[in-house]
Amino acid sequence: MVKFLFPTLMLHIHADLTNYRLMTLITQSSGHRLMIAMINVHLTLKMAQWLDEQHLNPYMAQTPYLPHFVLLTCWLLPLMIISSQHHMATEPINRQRTYIMLLTSLQFFLILAFSATELIMFYLMFEATLLPTLMIITRWGNQAERLNAGMYFLFYTLASSLPLLVALLLLQNTTGTLSLLTLQYSNPLNLSTYADKLWWAGCLIAFLVKMPLYGAHLWLPKAHVEAPVAGSMILAAVLLKLGGYGMMRMILLVLEPLSKELSYPFIVFALWGVVMTGLICLRQTDLKSLIAYSSVSHMGLVVGGILVQTPWGFAGALILMIAHGLTSSALFCLANTNYERIHSRNILLARGLQMVLPLMTTWWFIASLANLALPPLPNLMGELMILTSLINWSPWTLALTGAGVLITASYSLYMFLMTQRGPLPTHLIALDPSHSREHLLMALHLLPLLLLIFKPHLIWGWVS
Amino acid sequence: MSPYILAILLFSLGLGTTITFSSTHWLLAWVGLEINTLAMLPLMAQNHHPRAVEAATKYFLIQASGAAVLLFAGVINAWLTGQWDIHQAAHPLPIAIITLALSLKLGLAPLHSWLPEVFQGLNLTTNLILATWQKLAPLALMLQIQPPHSSLLIFLGLMSTLGGGWGGLNQTQLRKILAYSSTAQLGWMILVVQFSPSLTTLAILVYVVTTSATFLTLKLNKATNINMLAISWAKAPALMALTPLVLLSLAGLPPMTGFMPKWLILQELSKQGLPATATITALTALLSLYYYLRLTYAMTLTMFPNNITSTPPWRLPSAQLTLPLAILALAAISLLPLTPAAMALVAL
């Protein structure tokens, strides 16, 4: 743990002491972060040998599926810095430093959240990530609506997670411990009353709002649309996964006996959300909003996969979360490259870009195909496993998930065709050519995605 | 004001609170509270502004009637039980009256409506004394009495967190917002006073630190409403980057110090079998969070991306010492990891 935490903390000092030039700052900071990520990759590969066995590994005192989230965090944070270079270029140096420090503390809190072995520590860090994210959205966003978006973000999350705190404290009173390592050995809870059902809901709803579940998702598109590119990336790629990670942890450890019946309404909402948000995507003109709603739709599948509580469901959810983390982050970066050239998020204003930025079209193509889960990408593997476990749970879910898959494919293609194909509108003159920075960014997003399918063993956690 | 008189007033302010702290006799406790009030009044009215005099009058009336009711209840207690000892007050009637009298003095909802009015009339230094030191004596008495009606204290606590949150929502005056914030914070302390008095001590300690940092920041910027706060980032940019954290610490957002008492209070409440109360209290904190967040927005999060073209406010060098502010702000932001040490400090 200290191997990542210490270098991450040092990034604060680095941002403060480094040379008075943006390029130096950004290159060094992201390079440093990538090195942290590399230590992480090394450890994860090393841990692969322990993956088959369900016991704790000696590196992080954790169950097998955790390093993925830490790795995802460490991988995406340098990419966030690279992607916001254009956004930061006009700012005074002190604000650039503050911005990088903000991202550093976000990385620090996220690593601590994913590697916490106490539930209360996890809760603290879960909440602690709110603050840097809020600042990224409201301080560094562009439009005036960002203030509303920040309010929505903070209040949705807090209103659902304060009951979680009380629920955790109650759990501590009952079992005497909140340690993730020992909690599984405590006596199974005797949950039968209405109060216990409320407690169950309290434990889960915070994560469902964070995911977000359809019905409690309104904060997400707002936050995504208003946040700068780094904010959108971290929200879609890591913060939503915090919800999924928390759900897996809570369900496996303590919620087991009640979840069988009580999760019905949530599964229904999640699957209904897959279809509904997909339909919303189909009529979307705002590029970032489209990607945000597509996140909600994918997360609906993840919620379904987790809540049916089979090993396949969990593995599928895990794979889909990792794959979606890379894909949605890549899509937000691509949307941002458009935004930096056109200065609008509107799809109708930036059409036919293949003519001017042909290499970017390749990235758009791969990212769109990943979003619609084309074989052989890991997105497909995740979706298939979730679909299979859902069908096993009830064959009727096929109607919703099948429609969902179809709609996902349609809007991903709609997004790709609208932005890239067709004639170039006449108002698009004097566009910047694509920078190698942007190509590096996209390669660092999509290469891991392509490579992961060669060793899916790394990300599927339980099934072996 | 002549420094001699100021010194006498400040000493009396300390003396009154100390007498109340160290008394075991109701009469002496009352004497301490009265000395405290009387020393505070000239401090409030020292700059002869009508608004300040009005605030001092209001403060006098409220505190005097609170103290009178307290004395009255002490006498009834002596009448019913035959002794004046604070610790042995066992009869439910006088204790209920005393609880209400003390909550009037503290400004707990539903007896809090005087607090914003008084705050609004005073300057920020006096407000700081009013929000911190003046709360100590009544709270010390509250800690010592044996509460008979647990539901009364829980009612007062819930009403305060709710009323303190609700009242501040539509305010643009910083002093009023901080008055409502004080009510809400005291509500948390009162909720837990019957279960764990030492936790109340910890909570008031943290509240004093965070609210002092806030008041000193406002004083440095001479800001008394949101609009003035919004243009004061030019005066002290680094401070204005830290102040949102102090405010959110006051709101009790992890990972800042302000989360520590909230966390422990919720833990104590759930340990006492009051999870519903704990949940409702936690959710009422969101109401307060809204106005702290609005201040944060006005102060830092809506800054211009580049240099502004309008005229910035006139910057006079402030004579205020910045060291206390620096220490308090740091303590208000970063003490959460020291929670175990803090718990040991108040012997939890």
Side-chain angles (χ1 to χ4, degrees):
Chain A
M1 254 1 282
V2 180
K3 274 185 191 164
F4 325 130
L5 283 184
F6 226 72
T8 311
L9 274 183
M10 288 300 139
L11 279 168
H12 274 292
I13 301 171
H14 169 261
D16 221 13
L17 296 185
T18 196
N19 227 346
Y20 190 90
R21 277 189 60 225
L22 174 64
M23 276 314 294
T24 329
L25 191 61
I26 284 194
T27 322
Q28 287 186 2
S29 190
S30 50
H32 188 140
R33 268 163 224 254
L34 274 174
M35 277 197 283
I36 299 177
M38 279 307 169
I39 305 177
N40 216 323
V41 171
H42 168 70
L43 280 188
T44 312
L45 289 177
K46 237 184 160 172
M47 258 179 269
Q49 27 186 318
W50 280 282
L51 281 183
D52 298 333
E53 302 145 38
Q54 288 282 321
H55 66 66
L56 307 170
N57 65 61
Y59 283 103
M60 286 177 164
Q62 268 155 20
T63 38
Y65 52 101
L66 292 194
H68 311 111
F69 290 107
V70 180
L71 180 53
L72 196 64
T73 311
C74 291
W75 188 259
L76 280 165
L77 262 292
L79 303 191
M80 282 166 64
I81 292 191
I82 300 177
S83 72
S84 35
Q85 180 181 328
H86 187 271
H87 186 68
M88 300 301 302
T90 51
E91 300 279 339
I93 186 78
N94 278 333
R95 297 201 180 156
Q96 290 168 358
R97 283 182 175 146
T98 330
Y99 184 72
I100 285 181
M101 283 185 188
L102 204 59
L103 294 187
T104 308
S105 39
L106 189 56
Q107 178 172 0
F108 182 71
F109 290 141
L110 279 170
I111 292 177
L112 276 179
F114 283 127
S115 59
T117 51
E118 282 277 334
L119 273 178
I120 202 81
M121 177 75 172
F122 171 69
Y123 176 81
L124 274 177
M125 290 303 132
F126 179 79
E127 298 279 295
T129 54
L130 289 183
L131 202 54
T133 320
L134 175 80
M135 292 201 173
I136 291 177
I137 296 174
T138 51
R139 171 68 189 83
W140 301 95
N142 292 316
Q143 284 80 22
E145 290 84 22
R146 70 182 192 273
L147 301 178
N148 249 333
M151 286 280 183
Y152 263 65
F153 167 70
L154 198 65
F155 278 84
Y156 261 86
T157 321
L158 275 179
S160 61
S161 69
L162 285 171
L164 172 67
L165 175 62
V166 179
L168 288 181
L169 294 172
L170 284 174
L171 179 65
Q172 185 175 28
N173 292 335
T174 323
T175 58
T177 175
L178 280 181
S179 166
L180 288 168
L181 305 177
T182 57
L183 204 53
Q184 47 191 329
Y185 303 116
S186 62
N187 293 327
L189 301 169
N190 182 22
L191 304 170
S192 48
T193 61
Y194 277 112
D196 291 331
K197 286 174 185 154
L198 278 179
W199 174 80
W200 182 91
C203 280
L204 220 50
I205 282 180
F207 302 123
L208 287 171
V209 171
K210 190 83 181 179
M211 278 299 272
L213 184 72
Y214 180 71
H217 68 289
L218 282 180
W219 63 271
L220 185 74
K222 272 179 181 291
H224 269 312
V225 167
E226 298 306 327
V229 57
S232 300
M233 286 168 71
I234 193 76
L235 259 176
V238 188
L239 288 171
L240 303 189
K241 277 64 190 178
L242 208 55
Y245 166 74
M247 262 169 76
M248 287 193 186
R249 273 275 146 121
M250 289 304 282
I251 283 194
L252 275 187
L253 279 178
V254 285
L255 300 176
E256 201 56 274
L258 268 184
S259 310
K260 209 158 267 170
E261 287 84 25
L262 285 185
S263 57
Y264 283 6
F266 296 111
I267 300 182
V268 170
F269 259 96
L271 295 183
W272 183 241
V274 173
V275 175
M276 288 312 287
T277 45
L279 289 176
I280 292 173
C281 283
L282 276 178
R283 55 176 297 282
Q284 203 56 251
T285 52
D286 184 329
L287 194 49
K288 279 183 109 176
S289 183
L290 196 159
I291 305 169
Y293 274 110
S294 121
S295 292
V296 181
S297 158
H298 283 101
M299 286 300 114
L301 272 184
V302 171
V303 171
I306 294 175
L307 284 180
V308 295
Q309 303 176 65
T310 57
W312 270 54
F314 276 122
L318 193 59
I319 298 174
L320 189 54
M321 278 199 277
I322 302 288
H324 174 261
L326 290 166
T327 313
S328 63
S329 177
L331 281 173
F332 275 118
C333 283
L334 285 169
N336 185 55
T337 55
N338 271 7
Y339 182 79
E340 281 170 9
R341 289 176 175 76
I342 321 268
H343 306 292
S344 163
R345 301 187 303 265
N346 203 321
I347 299 182
L348 299 175
L349 288 181
R351 284 170 296 158
L353 288 178
Q354 188 179 11
M355 296 299 288
V356 274
L357 307 168
L359 196 47
M360 279 320 239
T361 306
T362 318
W363 298 124
W364 270 102
F365 188 58
I366 300 177
S368 305
L369 292 189
N371 201 41
L372 65 80
L374 198 83
L377 292 160
N379 305 54
L380 175 80
M381 193 169 67
E383 285 195 15
L384 274 188
M385 289 177 94
I386 292 174
L387 255 53
T388 318
S389 59
L390 279 171
I391 290 172
N392 181 43
W393 178 69
S394 155
W396 295 104
T397 55
L398 190 59
L400 288 170
T401 49
V405 168
L406 195 66
I407 296 169
T408 309
S410 333
Y411 70 72
S412 300
L413 287 178
Y414 156 69
M415 178 174 66
F416 176 71
L417 294 178
M418 281 302 274
T419 53
Q420 304 302 318
R421 302 306 302 265
L424 190 70
T426 43
H427 67 272
L428 288 184
I429 41 170
L431 290 185
D432 273 358
S434 46
H435 307 295
S436 21
R437 167 179 69 90
E438 289 159 355
H439 291 304
L440 172 71
L441 191 57
M442 296 320 298
L444 287 180
H445 273 112
L446 294 177
L447 283 183
L449 199 64
L450 292 169
L451 288 176
L452 269 179
I453 199 61
F454 290 107
K455 194 167 169 56
H457 182 215
L458 280 180
I459 53 169
W460 65 27
W462 286 273
V463 187
S464 50
Chain B
M1 187 180 284
S2 147
Y4 298 109
I5 299 180
L6 185 67
I8 288 178
L9 289 177
L10 287 179
F11 272 123
S12 314
L13 207 60
L15 179 73
T17 304
T18 318
I19 288 179
T20 310
F21 275 175
S22 53
S23 58
T24 56
H25 194 283
W26 275 120
L27 194 63
L28 217 54
W30 171 78
V31 167
L33 289 175
E34 285 291 355
I35 293 179
N36 198 20
T37 306
L38 291 179
M40 190 66 194
L41 289 173
L43 286 175
M44 290 174 145
Q46 58 180 323
N47 42 2
H48 298 282
H49 191 273
R51 199 71 181 79
V53 177
E54 180 195 334
T57 317
K58 280 178 178 165
Y59 185 72
F60 170 68
L61 289 177
I62 294 295
Q63 294 297 320
S65 46
V69 174
L70 185 86
L71 184 64
F72 168 67
V75 172
I76 289 194
N77 183 45
W79 185 289
L80 289 172
T81 59
Q83 41 83 26
W84 285 85
D85 202 294
I86 292 179
H87 296 279
Q88 289 173 12
H91 199 279
L93 177 68
I95 289 191
I97 300 178
I98 287 170
T99 311
L100 287 174
L102 289 176
S103 44
L104 178 66
K105 282 181 93 69
L106 282 171
L108 285 171
L111 305 169
H112 68 296
S113 23
W114 62 272
L115 195 66
E117 299 298 318
V118 171
F119 265 51
Q120 183 59 31
L122 305 175
N123 64 21
L124 287 164
T125 322
T126 325
N127 267 335
L128 174 60
I129 299 177
L130 200 58
T132 54
W133 183 253
Q134 294 301 91
K135 304 279 183 207
L136 294 183
L139 205 63
L141 286 179
M142 199 70 121
L143 287 172
Q144 290 177 49
I145 55 174
Q146 301 295 319
H149 298 111
S150 70
S151 49
L152 175 63
L153 286 175
I154 288 180
F155 170 76
L156 283 172
L158 276 182
M159 285 302 283
S160 301
T161 51
L162 201 63
W166 215 300
L169 287 184
N170 213 15
Q171 296 297 341
T172 53
Q173 296 293 330
L174 297 179
R175 286 172 288 186
K176 283 194 176 178
I177 288 182
L178 282 168
Y180 281 113
S181 132
S182 148
T183 301
Q185 302 275 352
L186 280 166
W188 282 82
M189 296 166 209
I190 292 305
L191 264 179
V192 83
V193 72
Q194 53 185 328
F195 306 121
S196 169
S198 47
L199 198 51
T200 309
T201 320
L202 177 66
I204 185 86
L205 215 62
V206 172
Y207 170 65
V208 166
V209 169
T210 40
T211 207
S212 308
T214 315
F215 271 117
L216 288 180
T217 311
L218 299 186
K219 186 162 169 278
L220 191 75
N221 291 309
K222 299 193 177 60
T224 49
N225 59 31
I226 292 188
N227 287 343
M228 283 158 82
L229 201 60
I231 51 170
S232 50
W233 62 271
K235 295 182 189 168
L239 179 66
M240 282 326 208
L242 276 186
T243 314
L245 297 181
V246 174
L247 281 173
L248 293 176
S249 170
L250 205 53
L253 219 64
M256 267 84 70
T257 315
F259 183 63
M260 180 207 296
K262 305 240 151 101
W263 171 14
L264 296 173
I265 287 170
L266 289 180
Q267 187 169 24
E268 185 65 34
L269 286 178
S270 59
K271 213 182 273 176
Q272 299 290 341
L274 296 168
T277 314
T279 316
I280 295 170
T281 321
L283 289 179
T284 52
L286 290 179
L287 287 173
S288 324
L289 176 65
Y290 182 79
Y291 53 76
Y292 296 123
L293 195 62
R294 217 165 42 145
L295 296 189
T296 309
Y297 273 7
M299 225 171 357
T300 317
L301 296 181
T302 49
M303 278 201 295
F304 288 91
N306 289 309
N307 293 335
I308 47 170
T309 47
S310 61
T311 322
W314 192 255
R315 268 182 276 178
L316 291 170
S318 170
Q320 187 185 334
L321 276 181
T322 46
L323 185 64
L325 174 57
I327 294 174
L328 284 170
L330 270 184
I333 292 171
S334 58
L335 285 190
L336 185 66
L338 291 185
T339 306
M343 286 165 75
L345 187 71
V346 297
L348 266 177

